[in-house]
Amino acid sequence: MNSFDGSGSPRHDQVAGGGDSRYPWSRFASWLECVCVVTFDLELGQAIEVQFDHFIVDVCCQKTSICYLSFPDSYSGCLGDTQFSFRLRQSVGRRASRFRDDAYNRDAPVTLQREVSHFFGYVYFRQVKDVSVKRGYFQKSLVLVSRLPYTHLFHSLLQIIAPEFFEKLEPCLEAVCNEIDQWPSPVPGLTLNLPVMGVVLQVRIPSKSDKPGGSPVKQAAKENLLPAPTLLPTIHELDLFKCFQSALIHLQMLWELMLLGEPVVVMALSPTISSETVLALVSSISPLKFCCDFRPYFTIHDSEFREYTTRTQAPPNVVLGVTNPFFIKTFQSWPHIVRLGEIRMAGDLPKQVKVKKLSKLKTLDTKPGIYTAYKTFLHKDKILIKRLLKGIQRKRPSEVQSAILRRHLLELTQSFIIPLERYMAGLMPLQRSVTPWKTPPQIRPFSQDEFMSTLDHTGPQLTSVLKGDWIGLYRKFFRSPNFDGWYRQRHKEMTQKLESLHLEVICDATSAEALSPPGSASVSARSWMFWSGFL
């Protein structure tokens, strides 16, 4: 393996957006952990051939996992070029990143924050016949490893650099890494121009202050760039319609399974389909953060294989994307299995998968279906399904179909979460109860029964047309990791707000004291601050 230490990077002394110029490739590090090439070695199997990273020491201490996740399973039969994604857990004891992500994560939407304990891998795999190779095939993967969930951006980047790399190999890749090292750091709310290999990608980094479901990005007209920028309307969104088109009539069920953090296995014919479907499922509850584990592409070589396939305990809260038929038997005890096949048309419409009993899942059978005993709390939105199916017949563009689907899922999630947000806000102490003479008041505890009593007047029925057992859905949601993650985040934000208000009133009291006449009989705010430990 050739490891590049970044010494050839041209601009380490000028770092924008929070990079640290004391370290090589600091701008590169704000986007990627490393870039590596995985090849097939007849003696070793999959192996890292070339690696570029921002540390002088090796950053990819999980080489084995990355190698296996970077090649499609042998059962996938992927010829030509294949793109897919994976996600893997950071190994215990790995060196922590030298760059603090507090500023970025503070301003980024919760669904786009940098991962602390996981990496994302974005893969461009090429397999073509080659008689000059003993195995008879050229097999290589170009892999971008990052903590950022920028699926669309990094796959678009791979589409630019991978074909050139496979033709010119390593020198081309080093030049690309040097170009990435000159990119400005990703700052939420800013539109950035990212030059690479003669192309300028123009992207806007989403901010938590953005209105959910806002209008797509418009091209900035301030700079006359040559070449003209290629506008990417999103850095992370997938083609939801393509991912869900064979399961449109079960969209409500899939949304509820994700909301509740249920264990789900997606079995597909290729890592492309498995990874896109898993990522689409996880994003279906946006802007609520999916707080369970998810693996867009999972193999038997994964370090968590034993953990996730043990039958001595209940399946963990994780969504797995797999392609190896071996998993059919391994995951027979799992409660929810989504099995996807080739998209087949029934007339003008894609054939919809059926919900089947788990007992009907056969090892040698390849029939698509959703194998589960789950009963939805809410009824289907038949109007939406008819609209999407009619859109297929009328050949409505997939981008429009996806926009309709994304808007529906966003409104559904908002209808569910707004009553929780409203109730949580009511647990905040009144501002007038914050005084400089006492410690900040406490946030009232969350009471599930009290929240349920508010639903008659402020429940989701006010904003959603869907009927069903909303209360039952809330009760099960309270037992899920997604509720726990949402509550912890909101409680943390409210606590920080209280502390900020407390400091403000202390400062105001100190200023008032400074302006008060000498010999005032009032208690000195400055003295109180001293004894309280603020001075």
Side-chain angles (χ1 to χ4, degrees):
M1 182 197 77
N2 298 323
S3 183
F4 182 70
D5 66 7
S7 58
S9 183
R11 293 173 60 184
H12 299 309
D13 55 332
Q14 301 175 18
V15 182
D20 192 333
S21 62
R22 292 174 298 171
Y23 301 111
W25 276 15
S26 49
R27 289 189 181 186
F28 176 95
S30 66
W31 293 93
L32 296 169
E33 290 289 311
C34 71
V35 177
C36 55
V37 179
V38 180
T39 190
F40 188 88
D41 186 285
L42 283 174
E43 295 180 1
L44 302 176
Q46 282 103 293
I48 291 181
E49 183 179 61
V50 181
Q51 179 180 315
F52 298 85
D53 57 62
H54 66 279
F55 289 132
I56 293 176
V57 297
D58 179 28
V59 298
C60 287
C61 50
Q62 291 163 299
K63 295 188 189 74
T64 303
S65 294
I66 290 176
C67 286
Y68 280 112
L69 288 168
S70 299
F71 267 43
D73 190 280
S74 58
Y75 290 94
S76 303
C78 297
L79 281 174
D81 293 349
T82 304
Q83 287 189 256
F84 58 94
S85 310
F86 64 80
R87 181 173 179 263
L88 75 159
R89 187 183 298 172
Q90 176 175 299
S91 61
V92 177
R94 182 189 183 276
R95 180 192 292 237
S97 175
R98 287 174 172 152
F99 305 98
R100 293 177 62 84
D101 295 327
D102 295 352
Y104 171 84
N105 281 358
R106 184 186 63 236
D107 299 327
V110 290
T111 55
L112 290 180
Q113 290 178 348
R114 273 195 179 97
E115 292 268 4
V116 176
S117 57
H118 290 81
F119 300 113
F120 290 96
Y122 305 97
V123 182
Y124 194 110
F125 170 74
R126 173 168 290 184
Q127 177 173 260
V128 292
K129 288 185 178 181
D130 188 343
V131 294
S132 66
V133 180
K134 285 185 180 181
R135 192 174 168 85
Y137 286 92
F138 172 92
Q139 293 174 308
K140 277 190 197 302
S141 285
L142 178 59
V143 187
L144 308 180
V145 180
S146 175
R147 293 185 186 274
L148 294 167
Y150 291 175
T151 308
H152 187 70
L153 170 62
F154 287 130
H155 279 306
S156 298
L157 180 62
L158 281 169
Q159 289 169 10
I160 295 171
I161 64 178
E164 188 85 1
F165 163 73
F166 287 129
E167 182 179 336
K168 298 181 179 177
L169 299 180
E170 189 178 338
C172 159
L173 201 55
E174 182 176 332
V176 167
C177 291
N178 281 321
E179 284 190 286
I180 294 174
D181 187 48
Q182 297 180 58
W183 289 2
S185 296
V187 177
L190 293 188
T191 297
L192 306 177
N193 292 311
L194 310 176
V196 60
M197 297 187 72
V199 177
V200 178
L201 296 176
Q202 187 173 93
V203 300
R204 183 183 183 277
I205 308 300
S207 167
K208 70 188 308 180
S209 60
D210 294 344
K211 181 181 177 182
S215 57
V217 180
K218 295 182 179 179
Q219 188 162 358
K222 295 181 180 179
E223 299 180 70
N224 294 320
L225 295 174
L226 292 175
T230 299
L231 176 67
L232 293 186
T234 176
I235 60 172
H236 65 287
E237 291 176 346
L238 296 159
D239 186 339
L240 286 186
F241 176 71
K242 185 179 77 170
C243 296
F244 290 140
Q245 61 179 318
S246 64
L248 290 175
I249 62 175
H250 306 300
L251 192 64
Q252 182 62 43
M253 174 188 287
L254 297 175
W255 178 81
E256 288 188 20
L257 292 176
M258 293 302 103
L259 181 74
L260 301 175
E262 289 285 312
V264 176
V265 176
V266 176
M267 296 181 175
L269 298 177
S270 72
T272 303
I273 297 173
S274 83
S275 63
E276 288 183 351
T277 303
V278 169
L279 292 172
L281 286 170
V282 168
S283 71
S284 68
I285 62 170
S286 180
L288 185 66
K289 184 176 182 179
F290 187 78
C291 296
C292 308
D293 196 1
F294 61 97
R295 303 300 173 90
Y297 181 49
F298 187 76
T299 75
I300 60 175
H301 303 286
D302 196 286
S303 57
E304 277 75 58
F305 175 76
R306 290 185 181 277
E307 175 185 340
Y308 289 159
T309 56
T310 178
R311 298 191 183 188
T312 58
Q313 58 189 29
N317 301 97
V318 60
V319 183
L320 301 177
V322 302
T323 60
N324 194 323
F326 169 81
F327 285 111
I328 298 175
K329 186 176 182 180
T330 307
F331 288 129
Q332 277 183 338
S333 61
W334 278 49
H336 318 291
I337 298 173
V338 179
R339 188 161 184 171
L340 303 172
E342 295 285 355
I343 299 296
R344 292 188 294 169
M345 304 299 286
D348 295 331
L349 302 175
K351 191 172 183 179
Q352 299 293 291
V353 298
K354 296 180 180 179
V355 175
K356 303 179 180 182
K357 294 181 180 179
L358 278 167
S359 58
K360 292 187 177 181
L361 185 64
K362 307 296 183 183
T363 304
L364 299 177
D365 196 357
T366 58
K367 289 182 180 178
I370 300 177
Y371 296 83
T372 179
Y374 181 81
K375 301 297 182 184
T376 58
F377 288 90
L378 306 180
H379 304 315
K380 296 176 182 178
D381 189 333
K382 295 182 180 179
I383 296 176
L384 171 79
I385 295 170
K386 287 180 180 179
R387 185 182 180 191
L388 291 171
L389 294 178
K390 187 173 289 185
I392 298 172
Q393 292 177 317
R394 294 180 176 178
K395 294 182 170 49
R396 185 184 293 148
S398 184
E399 298 82 10
V400 180
Q401 295 277 80
S402 287
I404 294 171
L405 199 49
R406 187 171 289 108
R407 168 61 65 177
H408 166 78
L409 293 169
L410 172 65
E411 291 175 351
L412 182 57
T413 303
Q414 287 181 320
S415 293
F416 182 83
I417 209 70
I418 283 174
L420 286 163
E421 298 277 7
R422 186 182 291 117
Y423 173 75
M424 194 72 183
L427 302 180
M428 188 81 163
L430 296 175
Q431 187 167 347
R432 64 171 177 264
S433 66
V434 182
T435 70
W437 323 114
K438 298 179 181 179
T439 57
Q442 297 295 305
I443 299 167
R444 289 199 300 118
F446 190 103
S447 168
Q448 294 183 19
D449 292 334
E450 185 181 40
F451 167 74
M452 292 298 187
S453 68
T454 68
L455 292 179
D456 287 340
H457 305 290
T458 63
Q461 72 278 0
L462 301 179
T463 53
S464 176
V465 298
L466 291 190
K467 306 296 183 182
D469 184 10
W470 286 98
I471 289 179
L473 186 60
Y474 278 114
R475 290 200 184 280
K476 192 156 187 180
F477 177 70
F478 289 144
R479 301 194 295 271
S480 76
N482 287 333
F483 170 72
D484 184 65
W486 172 84
Y487 176 75
R488 287 175 183 272
Q489 179 65 25
R490 286 292 177 268
H491 195 276
K492 177 183 176 182
E493 292 170 353
M494 291 166 67
T495 301
Q496 290 172 343
K497 178 65 175 176
L498 271 177
E499 292 172 352
S500 176
L501 288 172
H502 191 224
L503 287 175
E504 282 182 22
V505 297
I506 290 174
C507 292
D508 290 344
T510 305
S511 299
E513 181 207 358
L515 296 173
S516 63
S520 172
S522 63
V523 177
S524 168
R526 182 169 293 276
S527 300
W528 180 87
M529 289 173 70
F530 177 83
W531 291 111
S532 299
F534 285 98
L535 292 177

